[in-house]
Amino acid sequence: MNEKNISLIESAFKEYYFNRFDLIHVPKRATEREFGYQKFNSGMIRHLAIKNDKELHLLLMKEIPSDVYCSNAYYTFPNLPMSEKDWKGADLIFDIDAKDLALPCRKDHTIFKCSSCNSSVIEFQSQCPKCGSTKFETASVMCKNCISESKKEVTKLVDILTSDFDIKKEEIEVYFSGNEGFHIRVTNSDYEPLGSQERADLVDYIMFNGAIPESFGMKRQNNSKSSLPTLEEKGWRGRIAHRLFTSKSKTPKITKEIISSGYTAFQVQLEEIKKTMGVRVDPKVTMDIHRIFRLEGSINSKSGLSKIQCDNLDSFDPFLEACLLGDDNVQILADCPLQIKLKNKKFGPYKNELVSLPKYAAVYMLCKGLGNAI
Amino acid sequence: MTNLFEDNLNSYEIIWKIPSHGKTLVNQQDNQIFKLSKNKENVLKIGIKDLAKYPFLTEAGEYLANTGLSLEQLSHPDWKPIVEKAYGRIVVASSGQIYGSDLESLDNDSELLSFIVAIILLKSAGIATLIRRFSLAEARRSERFLQQDLWVSRDKKNLELPLKIIQDLFAVKVSIDNDEFVIKVPDYLQRAVHFHEKEWKLVNRRVTNGFVYLSAHETVRLIRAELGEYINGKIQSVNIQSIPQGFKQRVEDLVILAKKFSDTTFVSSEYPPCVKHGIEVLEKGENLPHSGRFLLATYLLSKGQTVDQIAPLFKNAPDYNERTTKYQLEHISGSSGSGTKYQCPSCEKLRSESLCFATSDCDGIINPIQFGKKRKNK
Ligand code: SF4
Ligand SMILES: [Zn+2]
Ligand SMILES: [Zn+2]
């Protein structure tokens, strides 16, 4: 990123980090966690110990980081190198990203930016219409549909965590990630000591990966003897029963149909069910027990929005509630082929024009690579 | 008298206490056992039959202590049958089979004593692989009893013993819900991830309110490896300073026995990670799915190994049967039946079966056969 952009963004971040102590806190058991941060155009600084809010605020004001992270793991010595930290356990974390949901709306708001002449288009093209280059960078913004679809995944996840895994609602924290999705963190649970392999299997459960027909009562041979799950059951068996039978009265008829179609057909059906009922989380995030994860309250430099907790998921509007930068006007050169809505105001589309925008909107465009400071 | 017996020991250092004029066979660590035996208030009534089934329990030592039998007496010719039984127990274990106790004899001391003597023989011979095989085989022997005890007593009060063994030794709480056994999801995951069959994946289990439902068989299957390690650890911690005269011959025989099968171990560092992984799984006595066995067989055959060289690899598998194993290997090698020689599966296939454990040494290959031949320069 160029220097002018950085200094505009940093000045906006600085204002936030100086003024919004009320939003920025260390997580529970902070002294056992590893912290890290990044500045624009430079590498990650990790293995930091931060004891309390005050130390955190001091660091933020001094460094004005582009991104701030904190481990989900608990260590005896969080500031030593990884091999000496002494891992004690880790919160369960989940990452739900609109980008991973294969939503049809994505193509309407993914912007292709030519790497050589910088012009941007919405539709995918193999060659830049202006200069013929074949190299593009993409920038994406989140639309209403992306938000509501991501929320659905969060709701599915929370349902499995509470009913199948007996995790208390109070221990589940849901955050807007600051860019295009949600982060979920479970603290204080029996799941804390689990290693990476165990978490991988847990995530397969949540995603409904690797389910075999036998587990749902379908026999490979002699399948007339199959006994499918019932509506009263819990866990995946219950969920599958609801999906297949919808109601008690329809159960016998549908059971017959499924059994007569056979094992392979049922297997295909389970694959289909996985696509809609499995929770689409990023398995790598949950499996990683040494990860440093974006710190709540900090700003995400991919958008200029903050990672904040969603108290009421249904009504949560990231473009309103997570957009927390200042609103005095700054001039930028905007090149944004889409209209963007922030804090209930509409911006753009702009075709390489000089515009005066509130800081939060200007920073959003710069972070997305859709504009330049002048 | 031998100096195997030592005076002045702290009582908590004792696991298997065989009084011989106030002397003891000692164990030096293992506080867990100590805890178990100290909590006298909630100790269950454990009979000789239970000890024959579970001779590794602390109560076994207490029982022996009460009989007043000494190690010296055990080395007397009168007790030769016990030494022979102990030796047989080890021989059976070393061949990868499970020592079958006849249920009649569970009522007398010989089951328990032969276990203790086997440990003394093993410790005297001092061969780690032999101890490992013995521990595993004994774990599988007890596993059978544990499963029976769980199943038979699932609706009665005396379910306490099997559940207590599982809870005390492995810190896993098992409870019962309508004829079925339930354990907490995290306890399940920590053990089941070592199994590779699809049916052990959490998604293929019944899960409700933080619990996983299991059959009696599955419950004990889940702790087999830990039981083996537990027995192994216990044997490791026994301290034997010298061998009673009457045991010497059998100890020498064990050394010879160990030599015989150590020749057949042929793990090579040249093997690709997926093959190494399969061999490790088998060595631990864990079950390898058929696709994994197929990989080992086809890979090793393609490297010029013979059916006879490969067959012993599968010895530790829970369902090992020498004849069927050979038959299957011959089938795969094409030397029987159809005559088709099966090829080693591709990396892609193995990846889809979760059998691939690729490292950077696997870069640029599409079949394990190519491992080590084709190294990409990066
Ligand atoms: S890449 Fe191929 S050779 Fe390497 S571990 Fe995976 S399956 Fe085996
Ligand atoms: Zn161009
Ligand atoms: Zn969208």
Side-chain angles (χ1 to χ4, degrees):
Chain A
M1 193 177 277
N2 76 46
E3 284 306 320
K4 270 188 190 158
N5 288 357
I6 291 174
S7 77
L8 195 159
I9 295 172
E10 277 184 344
S11 81
F13 282 19
K14 187 172 178 175
E15 206 176 282
Y16 175 81
Y17 285 132
F18 270 75
N19 295 330
R20 300 307 305 263
F21 287 176
D22 58 318
L23 293 173
I24 307 160
H25 303 287
V26 292
K28 285 174 218 156
R29 296 172 64 186
T31 54
E32 296 165 78
R33 296 181 193 263
E34 174 199 353
F35 289 77
Y37 69 88
Q38 235 173 335
K39 294 183 63 125
F40 286 101
N41 292 348
S42 74
M44 177 85 80
I45 297 168
R46 286 188 70 158
H47 313 299
L48 301 175
I50 292 177
K51 286 198 235 26
N52 47 39
D53 285 356
K54 213 169 148 190
E55 283 186 24
L56 174 64
H57 296 157
L58 221 59
L59 176 104
L60 296 178
M61 290 189 296
K62 205 170 129 229
E63 299 295 338
I64 318 292
S66 66
D67 299 276
V68 191
Y69 305 93
C70 172
S71 69
N72 61 319
Y74 303 110
Y75 304 103
T76 314
F77 309 109
N79 55 343
L80 293 186
M82 202 45 89
S83 58
E84 294 158 41
K85 277 185 168 33
D86 184 29
W87 188 90
K88 295 194 286 189
D91 299 333
L92 271 185
I93 51 173
F94 302 93
D95 180 19
I96 289 168
D97 199 312
K99 275 201 274 308
D100 303 333
L101 304 184
L103 300 171
C105 62
R106 296 298 293 178
K107 64 174 189 338
D108 304 332
H109 50 77
T110 299
I111 299 156
F112 293 85
K113 229 172 142 333
C114 171
S115 301
S116 49
C117 77
N118 260 335
S119 66
S120 41
V121 282
I122 299 174
E123 264 146 83
F124 175 76
Q125 263 144 335
S126 53
Q127 273 195 332
C128 170
K130 267 204 186 140
C131 75
S133 160
T134 50
K135 269 202 178 153
F136 293 93
E137 276 167 43
T138 58
S140 58
V141 297
M142 191 149 131
C143 76
K144 272 214 170 99
N145 182 53
C146 289
I147 299 168
S148 68
E149 290 299 314
S150 307
K151 282 181 181 174
K152 278 186 200 155
E153 297 301 310
V154 175
T155 310
K156 274 153 57 181
L157 173 65
V158 172
D159 173 55
I160 292 182
L161 293 179
T162 50
S163 55
D164 295 19
F165 295 154
D166 196 34
I167 292 170
K168 292 189 204 71
K169 267 234 157 69
E170 307 84 76
E171 318 287 16
I172 303 172
E173 295 159 2
V174 177
Y175 297 92
F176 170 61
S177 72
N179 191 25
E180 300 193 54
F182 292 91
H183 290 170
I184 291 85
R185 177 168 68 194
V186 175
T187 55
N188 202 18
S189 76
D190 289 346
Y191 297 81
E192 213 175 274
L194 294 186
S196 177
Q197 268 190 307
E198 288 89 339
R199 287 169 198 241
D201 197 34
L202 193 87
V203 127
D204 277 340
Y205 182 92
I206 289 167
M207 299 177 83
F208 201 59
N209 275 341
I212 53 174
E214 286 85 346
S215 314
F216 299 88
M218 175 61 87
K219 297 215 164 85
R220 197 186 275 276
Q221 270 116 27
N222 219 341
N223 70 13
S224 58
K225 291 220 183 76
S226 300
S227 63
L228 301 179
T230 64
L231 292 167
E232 291 76 41
E233 286 189 63
K234 297 211 171 142
W236 274 115
R237 289 174 58 92
R239 254 175 241 120
I240 297 296
H242 278 277
R243 168 57 59 97
L244 295 175
F245 307 138
T246 56
S247 79
K248 195 138 206 160
S249 57
K250 289 190 193 143
T251 304
K253 183 170 165 269
I254 297 174
T255 303
K256 236 184 247 153
E257 282 168 16
I258 293 172
I259 291 177
S260 70
S261 324
Y263 183 92
T264 314
F266 189 62
Q267 198 165 25
V268 172
Q269 211 166 0
L270 287 181
E271 271 308 303
E272 281 308 309
I273 288 175
K274 171 187 145 179
K275 285 184 201 147
T276 53
M277 293 183 78
V279 186
R280 283 166 288 177
V281 298
D282 179 349
K284 290 192 294 310
V285 171
T286 309
M287 280 169 67
D288 188 350
I289 57 169
H290 299 287
R291 177 173 286 259
I292 49 177
F293 205 38
R294 189 171 297 284
L295 179 74
E296 54 269 32
S298 71
I299 310 166
N300 189 327
S301 76
K302 289 183 203 140
S303 64
L305 305 178
S306 294
K307 171 170 172 176
I308 57 162
Q309 192 160 1
C310 312
D311 296 319
N312 184 343
L313 185 66
D314 288 339
S315 67
F316 180 79
D317 176 1
F319 298 125
L320 188 64
E321 292 168 58
C323 186
L324 296 162
L325 297 180
D327 52 12
D328 25 317
N329 279 4
V330 286
Q331 271 210 328
I332 62 163
L333 192 61
D335 186 20
C336 176
L338 283 174
Q339 188 178 68
I340 279 154
K341 203 175 152 195
L342 289 167
K343 284 200 185 175
N344 285 330
K345 282 202 192 89
K346 290 179 182 141
F347 303 98
Y350 303 120
K351 213 168 163 47
N352 233 341
E353 17 186 324
L354 202 58
V355 283
S356 176
L357 298 175
K359 231 182 221 165
Y360 59 82
V363 169
Y364 187 85
M365 304 248 171
L366 263 52
C367 287
K368 292 279 178 191
L370 302 172
N372 278 304
I374 46 161
Chain B
M1 183 195 287
T2 72
N3 60 356
L4 170 68
F5 306 105
E6 264 181 35
D7 269 321
N8 310 324
L9 287 157
N10 296 325
S11 62
Y12 64 79
E13 290 176 335
I14 300 163
I15 289 187
W16 292 300
K17 191 172 159 197
I18 307 175
S20 160
H21 321 292
K23 319 280 171 145
T24 45
L25 170 64
V26 296
N27 169 277
Q28 306 206 310
Q29 300 134 11
D30 215 336
N31 301 324
Q32 209 180 355
I33 303 308
F34 167 53
K35 262 187 262 151
L36 191 78
S37 59
K38 211 178 74 174
N39 282 329
K40 282 273 187 256
E41 320 84 56
N42 49 27
V43 160
L44 287 163
K45 264 245 168 307
I46 297 176
I48 177 67
K49 207 166 182 167
D50 296 323
L51 295 178
K53 293 181 197 166
Y54 313 115
F56 47 84
L57 292 179
T58 313
E59 286 81 355
E62 288 169 3
Y63 172 84
L64 284 176
N66 293 332
T67 62
L69 190 65
S70 76
L71 193 56
E72 284 161 331
Q73 281 168 300
L74 274 177
S75 72
H76 186 275
D78 283 356
W79 289 93
K80 192 136 200 274
I82 296 288
V83 181
E84 288 312 295
K85 199 174 163 80
Y87 179 72
R89 222 165 156 153
I90 302 171
V91 171
V92 169
S94 74
S95 73
Q97 269 144 318
I98 303 172
Y99 169 73
S101 302
D102 79 64
L103 286 169
E104 303 294 296
S105 63
L106 285 182
D107 273 327
N108 67 48
D109 289 1
S110 67
E111 283 297 304
L112 175 54
L113 288 174
S114 63
F115 178 79
I116 307 277
V117 172
I119 287 173
I120 298 169
L121 293 176
L122 282 167
K123 283 301 283 196
S124 309
I127 298 157
T129 46
L130 213 49
I131 296 178
R132 227 185 45 229
R133 276 168 187 253
F134 177 78
S135 309
L136 199 67
E138 286 293 327
R140 276 157 58 188
R141 172 184 171 276
S142 296
E143 182 184 322
R144 291 180 174 178
F145 293 124
L146 208 49
Q147 184 183 331
Q148 281 167 14
D149 282 352
L150 273 179
W151 178 246
V152 177
S153 57
R154 68 197 178 282
D155 42 16
K156 292 187 222 124
K157 285 261 154 54
N158 60 346
L159 188 58
E160 282 171 34
L161 177 65
L163 292 191
K164 192 178 149 54
I165 290 174
I166 297 174
Q167 185 165 345
D168 284 354
L169 267 40
F170 312 114
V172 180
K173 195 165 156 32
V174 181
S175 25
I176 300 170
D177 181 24
N178 286 326
D179 267 19
E180 281 180 290
F181 301 92
V182 292
I183 77 170
K184 283 196 163 174
V185 173
D187 286 338
Y188 175 83
L189 285 173
Q190 280 170 331
R191 290 160 180 89
V193 289
H194 302 298
F195 303 154
H196 301 275
E197 297 91 344
K198 283 208 155 174
E199 52 270 31
W200 287 98
K201 280 186 80 59
L202 190 62
V203 74
N204 291 312
R205 314 300 324 189
R206 270 177 52 217
V207 180
T208 300
N209 294 333
F211 288 98
V212 181
Y213 285 73
L214 300 167
S215 69
H217 171 71
E218 289 162 343
T219 308
V220 293
R221 177 67 189 88
L222 210 51
I223 56 156
R224 172 191 295 161
E226 282 161 284
L227 190 55
E229 268 159 41
Y230 177 80
I231 297 173
N232 191 42
K234 225 165 146 169
I235 298 174
Q236 297 296 356
S237 66
V238 170
N239 195 8
I240 309 263
Q241 262 119 25
S242 86
I243 320 156
Q245 199 54 43
F247 293 5
K248 284 225 161 104
Q249 184 54 49
R250 281 317 191 189
V251 170
E252 277 164 32
D253 292 342
L254 284 185
V255 176
I256 295 165
L257 178 73
K259 275 215 189 88
K260 218 169 49 193
F261 69 76
S262 66
D263 298 340
T264 59
T265 316
F266 49 90
V267 182
S268 158
S269 59
E270 301 298 294
Y271 293 158
C274 48
V275 171
K276 270 198 231 157
H277 168 265
I279 293 174
E280 276 164 28
V281 168
L282 286 173
E283 295 228 307
K284 277 192 261 164
E286 291 296 344
N287 201 9
L288 189 67
H290 285 282
S291 45
R293 298 179 194 199
F294 184 76
L295 159 69
L296 289 191
T298 49
Y299 179 84
L300 295 170
L301 285 166
S302 80
K303 294 283 157 186
Q305 301 214 15
T306 64
V307 168
D308 285 328
Q309 281 173 310
I310 298 169
L313 243 189
F314 298 94
K315 262 185 184 168
N316 281 345
D319 51 0
Y320 177 72
N321 173 316
E322 194 175 342
R323 263 192 39 222
T324 32
T325 303
K326 282 225 171 121
Y327 171 79
Q328 285 165 350
L329 284 173
E330 270 156 17
H331 182 74
I332 292 170
S333 74
S335 57
S336 76
S338 65
T340 341
K341 191 173 172 195
Y342 287 87
Q343 300 299 318
C344 186
S346 67
C347 295
E348 197 186 320
K349 178 105 198 338
L350 292 164
R351 251 192 306 279
S352 73
E353 294 169 329
S354 312
L355 288 167
C356 167
F357 296 83
T359 64
S360 56
D361 288 339
C362 297
D363 287 352
I365 61 171
I366 56 164
N367 189 296
I369 304 276
Q370 300 166 311
F371 186 84
K373 284 189 194 153
K374 210 168 154 186
R375 288 256 156 99
K376 239 182 27 189
N377 301 319
K378 284 219 284 190

